[in-house]
Amino acid sequence: MKENSIIIGFHAHVYYDLETRDVAAQIREGLGARFEVQLGRWHDQPIGPHPKSMYQVAFAPNQFPQVVPWLMLNREGLDILVHPETGDDVTDHIAHALWLGNKLELNIQVLQRIRPNAS
């Protein structure tokens, strides 16, 4: 069994497209105003394992009980990936992932190429 203490933080990836960018901006503003989170840059093109435009929101484990329920109630139809940071990006994005909305197909090969313990 793994212990929760291996989780050093969480990421939420808020996915959007050209038509929903304004909605994504409203969600971003709400997160920034209500919680102690780090708002990442806007990526208007797919980047890394992410199949569409997104921005990342990083937050501490003690923020999870506030941030994730707020996202559940305020995602406005957008798809959001929430995952822990344990040091294993591949497992965090696949096995430990929580999806709000639709589960998108990630390009895991990108993460496997940069995996620190790849054999």
Side-chain angles (χ1 to χ4, degrees), residues 8-103:
I8 60 171
F10 285 94
H11 290 167
H13 299 276
V14 179
Y15 297 98
Y16 62 91
D17 52 33
L18 189 58
E19 294 79 27
T20 58
R21 196 177 197 280
D22 289 345
V23 173
Q26 292 171 0
I27 294 168
R28 182 182 175 89
E29 289 171 22
L31 286 165
R34 287 169 179 79
F35 307 107
E36 286 186 39
V37 296
Q38 293 178 319
L39 299 170
R41 293 187 329 221
W42 289 90
H43 296 283
D44 289 331
Q45 301 293 324
I47 184 170
H50 305 286
K52 62 187 288 189
S53 303
M54 66 94 197
Y55 60 82
Q56 173 181 287
V57 181
F59 53 99
N62 67 347
Q63 289 288 300
F64 186 95
Q66 290 78 37
V67 172
V68 174
W70 189 89
L71 285 170
M72 289 174 169
L73 298 178
N74 294 284
R75 66 183 185 85
E76 299 297 330
L78 297 185
D79 301 318
I80 300 174
L81 164 63
V82 179
H83 69 79
E85 290 182 274
T86 67
D88 183 345
D89 282 344
V90 173
T91 303
D92 289 347
H93 282 78
I94 298 174
H96 301 154
L98 166 69
W99 285 92
L100 306 178
N102 296 309
K103 180 178 180 181

